Structure formats: structure tokens, C-alpha cells
Amino acid sequence: MNENMTLKQILEWYVDAGVDETFGEVPFGKNISEPVSVKIPVSVSKPVENTVRQATTELAQANITARQNAREMCAKAETLDDLRALVEAFDGCALKLTASKTVFGGGNPASKIMLVGEAPGADEDRIGQPFVGRSGQLLDKMLKAINIDRTSCYITNVLPWRPPGNRTPTDGEIAVCLPFLKRQIELISPEAIVVLGGSAANALLETEEPISRLRGKWLDYKKNDGSVVPVLATFHPAYLLRNSGQKAKAWTDLLRLSKKIIQ
Ligand code: URA
């Protein structure tokens, strides 16, 4: 700053220096014998924008690194127990900070059928097992209708940590945790996967189609080795609890699973 600067230049100098608040109407930095009443605009957004842009870039970079770490870590897991231990030790997803427990998959790892939900809810977070709350109870009833129980299927989620307040997971959280699900699929090697709800279906099938369009038909999940696992999407039990009129469609979907796998 120098003596010959105009008030506008002084103000710009402050803005460039990161000043984004004013405490009065008289500017500093220039020899002014008479106080000059100058209205300094309070909203000076440039430094804030820069900070936000930098933070966003750092966040995106951290997400890419976490995703890469998750992938590399998963490749080292030779067994489901290895994978569980690695997921429990993973620190690349901030959801772990607010969750009480890591909820890994449960059920029968030798099963031909794998069910995939979105993320643990409050009960799952407290107990550490997938689908043990109200949604889980409905899921048990749905499975019972086609003679399946927890000992004859493997159940997991896209995310092993509960999003706070059960909010929808972000794309970043899904991208970081997806390698855990993909490795579980490789280790379990199911003959069929049932995805419960749009979020899980979109994550696994890498599509943005709504669940109403995806459900009820056999779709393909391509593993890293190029082999294909048939995937059936259906409504999430939590959705069915709120929309019981859709239960008939979920029932039809499960019959399709039963026809393909059990008979
Ligand atoms: N909803 C899910 O998607 N998964 C659970 O484990 C429980 C509720």
C-alpha cells in the first residue's frame, strides 16, 4: 500500500489481503485529515470464494486418495475376515467418526444369494449387524415367504457406517466404500445379488435409473475379472414400510429370485 492509492485501491488491497469484514465506515491506510465517510461494501466475496474453492479441491483430492486406498486395501484381503479387519481399520470415510460401530456383512458367506442394502440405520449402528431393525424384520418376513432365512443368504450394505440421521449417502461416501462391497462380492461369489432400494441399485449398477424402472428384472453386475453376476433390484423394506401398497411388486420380485435360484 502507498500514499497515492485511491480509496478503491486501498479497499482492493484489503480484499486481496483477506479482509472480509468492516468495523466502521472510516478506512485506514491513507493520510486523510478529515474523516471521510465511505460506505465499504460488507460482502467482499473473493477471498471467501477462493477459500471455498481450495477446500473443495482438497476434499475432492482426499476422496480420490481414500477411494484409491480402499481399492488397494481390498485387493490384499484374501478372506472375508481379512476384509472385515481392513474395513474396521479404514480411516478414509468420515462416516466412521459419527458411527458407533462398523457394520460389516452377516449371514451365510457360503450362500448363493447376496442381499445388498444402502447403509446401517440406528439399530444396526447400535448392534453392529445389518438389517436388525424394523426394515430387517420386514426383510425376514419377505425372505421367509420364499423359504430363505439369515442362514441361507448373505446380507450386507453399500456403506458399513451409518450416515448421521440416516441421511442419504453422498456420491463421495459411496465411491469410497464401494470397493468393500465389490470385494465382498468377489469373496462370496454369489449366484445372484438382490439390491434393496434405489441407492444400492444405483451404486452397484452404476446407473441413475430410478428403482421403479430397475426393479423386477435381471440385470448384470460385471466383476473385475469380467464375469457377470445376475442382479435383481427390488424395493427397500424401509420404503415398503411406508408404502405397503407396493409390497405386491416386491413379492413378485422375490418369486423371480426364488424361481432362478432355489428351484
Ligand atoms: N437399511 C439398510 O439399507 N441397511 C440396513 O442394514 C438397515 C436398514
Side-chain angles (χ1 to χ4, degrees), residues 102-114:
T102 297
V103 180
F104 197 69
N108 181 357
S111 172
K112 293 189 271 187
I113 303 164
M114 182 164 178

Side-chain angles (χ1 to χ4, degrees), residues 65-196:
T65 308
R67 210 183 313 174
Q68 184 62 28
N69 289 345
R71 269 198 226 115
E72 286 169 9
M73 226 180 67
C74 285
K76 290 187 199 137
E78 297 289 341
T79 65
L80 217 50
D81 283 342
D82 287 352
L83 185 61
R84 178 195 293 270
L86 289 170
V87 173
E88 280 171 355
F90 184 71
D91 277 329
C93 180
L95 289 178
K96 193 180 181 189
L97 300 174
T98 48
S100 319
K101 294 222 168 74
T102 297
V103 180
F104 197 69
N108 181 357
S111 172
K112 293 189 271 187
I113 303 164
M114 182 164 178
L115 293 134
V116 181
E118 176 183 295
D123 293 314
E124 291 76 18
D125 181 60
R126 191 168 41 81
I127 294 169
Q129 292 289 329
F131 282 99
V132 289
R134 279 188 73 219
S135 294
Q137 284 157 19
L138 178 57
L139 181 62
D140 284 340
K141 284 187 196 156
M142 291 161 67
L143 295 176
K144 198 170 171 203
I146 53 162
N147 292 320
I148 299 178
D149 64 16
R150 302 271 174 146
T151 63
S152 49
C153 65
Y154 180 84
I155 306 183
T156 191
N157 282 303
V158 177
L159 300 182
W161 298 288
R162 180 194 184 208
N166 294 350
R167 67 160 168 75
T168 304
T170 65
D171 290 349
E173 288 158 355
I174 290 174
V176 169
C177 296
L178 205 54
F180 305 142
L181 174 63
K182 292 188 166 189
R183 190 65 185 141
Q184 280 176 90
I185 295 173
E186 284 169 359
L187 293 168
I188 302 272
S189 200
E191 283 179 25
I193 298 173
V194 179
V195 275
L196 302 164

